């Protein structure tokens, strides 16, 4: 049989799974249970890996690459402007994240963020890390509370920042250092 439309089991289970819910299904053989779990898994893996492969060609292209916020590598509640340069969270109950379209492979990098409103955490992470900065071993964040974090360990760093501040995030791949600046 060809799949043209989802089965009733799939119609109920797939949106719940893609929304991060836990699902338990008891149904007869042939009802589409395997597809209910397999299809969302494939979609999640595809969305996670899309645009993350680094080739020698992309490394050789170097600084001429245009860096924007990556619409394919973000939490669902992150809203991004059409030019890909500004974002905000549409969920005030949890941290949300987004990555850039270009990875920091070698050399020195810096970007700046203007704090417009609310709590914020900026930083760097490996492409396979969670989007919530500072919660994985290869994820480093600096939050508006004045703390830096990695692997869910938080330490005092500099000072707190708030609306109107400009935060600089610096990465030196050769020296393996990360630092942050407040207002220049």
């Amino acid at each position: 049989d060809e799949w043209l439309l989802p089965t009733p089991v799939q119609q109920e289970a797939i949106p719940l799974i893609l929304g991060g819910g836990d699902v338990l299904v008891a149904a007869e053989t042939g009802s589409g249970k395997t597809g209910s779990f397999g299809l969302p898994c494939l979609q999640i893996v595809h969305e996670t890996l899309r645009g993350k492969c680094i080739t020698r060609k992309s490394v050789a292209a170097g600084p001429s690459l245009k860096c924007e916020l990556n619409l394919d590598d973000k939490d669902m509640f992150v809203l991004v402007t059409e030019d890909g340069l500004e974002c905000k969270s549409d969920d005030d109950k949890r941290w949300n994240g987004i990555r850039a379209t270009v990875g920091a492979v070698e050399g020195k990098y810096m970007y700046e963020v203007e704090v417009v409103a609310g709590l914020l955490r900026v930083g760097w992470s490996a492409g396979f890390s969670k989007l919530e900065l500072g919660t994985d071993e290869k994820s480093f964040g600096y939050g508006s509370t004045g703390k830096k974090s990695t692997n869910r360990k938080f330490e005092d760093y500099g000072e707190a920042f708030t609306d109107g501040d400009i935060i600089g995030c610096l990465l030196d791949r050769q020296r393996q250092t990360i630092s942050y600046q407040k207002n220049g």
Side-chain angles (χ1 to χ4, degrees), residues 147-172:
K147 298 197 181 290
K148 68 177 183 174
S149 61
T150 186
N151 208 18
R152 291 207 181 277
K153 293 179 181 133
F154 294 80
E155 300 176 24
D156 290 336
Y157 182 92
E159 56 189 73
F161 51 88
T162 188
D163 300 358
D165 287 332
I166 306 290
I167 307 303
C169 301
L170 297 90
L171 171 68
D172 185 334

Side-chain angles (χ1 to χ4, degrees), residues 95 113-122 142-145 161 167:
W95 289 101
V113 174
E114 179 181 0
V115 182
V116 177
L119 293 175
L120 174 71
R121 192 178 301 154
V122 296
Y142 174 41
S144 52
T145 58
F161 51 88
I167 307 303

Side-chain angles (χ1 to χ4, degrees), residues 24-39:
L24 176 66
V25 174
E28 62 186 54
T29 301
S31 62
K33 292 184 301 290
T34 303
S36 295
F37 294 100
L39 292 172

Side-chain angles (χ1 to χ4, degrees), residues 70-148:
N70 190 344
L71 297 176
D72 296 323
D73 197 2
K74 70 178 188 70
D75 285 319
M76 64 189 291
F77 292 107
V78 174
L79 306 175
V80 182
T81 57
E82 287 185 28
D83 62 7
L85 299 176
E86 298 177 33
C87 69
K88 74 173 189 170
S89 173
D90 199 29
D91 178 6
D92 59 358
K93 294 183 177 127
R94 66 181 202 102
W95 289 101
N96 290 283
I98 187 167
R99 288 195 178 88
T101 54
V102 177
V105 180
E106 58 186 32
K108 296 178 182 180
Y109 299 84
M110 179 189 179
Y111 70 91
E112 291 183 325
V113 174
E114 179 181 0
V115 182
V116 177
L119 293 175
L120 174 71
R121 192 178 301 154
V122 296
W124 305 91
S125 71
F128 54 81
S129 295
K130 294 177 184 173
L131 289 168
E132 185 180 345
L133 284 169
T135 60
D136 290 351
E137 184 179 347
K138 300 292 184 186
S139 176
F140 308 88
Y142 174 41
S144 52
T145 58
K147 298 197 181 290
K148 68 177 183 174

